[in-house]
Amino acid sequence: MAESRKTRAGKIAERVRDAVTDLDELRDEIENWKGSMEGTNLEFTQKYEDLGECEDSLNNAIGELESTAYDIDEIEFPGMFG
């Protein structure tokens, strides 16, 4: 019974980790976009600054979700009997 309770938390944590993977990919796209602007005088534009802020926000979200996935893994769901 304890295994099924852990499995439930594990499944939820896995979904959170999948979201982290998606956000990682998005962050990579933003980094590439931002990087392609460097050395072209576009690094002094509002768009470049916006991309930097987006990258920072994604980094924060990824960190929080990774922490959340760890916390979910630690949840022990009580059984109905005993």
Side-chain angles (χ1 to χ4, degrees), residues 4-20 65-66 68-77:
S4 65
R5 291 190 303 263
K6 187 66 172 173
T7 301
R8 177 180 281 176
K11 287 179 183 178
I12 295 168
E14 188 60 34
R15 289 183 195 146
V16 174
R17 287 187 189 94
D18 288 345
V20 168
L65 285 174
E66 287 173 336
T68 298
Y70 175 80
D71 291 343
I72 290 170
D73 272 335
E74 297 301 310
I75 295 172
E76 291 191 33
F77 293 92

Side-chain angles (χ1 to χ4, degrees), residues 34-78:
K34 187 177 158 202
S36 71
M37 297 175 81
E38 293 173 358
T40 65
N41 286 330
L42 292 174
E43 66 266 28
F44 305 108
T45 64
Q46 184 63 45
K47 179 64 71 182
Y48 185 86
E49 188 175 317
D50 292 345
L51 290 169
E53 290 174 10
C54 180
E55 184 180 7
D56 291 342
S57 295
L58 287 168
N59 283 328
N60 290 336
I62 289 167
E64 289 179 27
L65 285 174
E66 287 173 336
S67 177
T68 298
Y70 175 80
D71 291 343
I72 290 170
D73 272 335
E74 297 301 310
I75 295 172
E76 291 191 33
F77 293 92

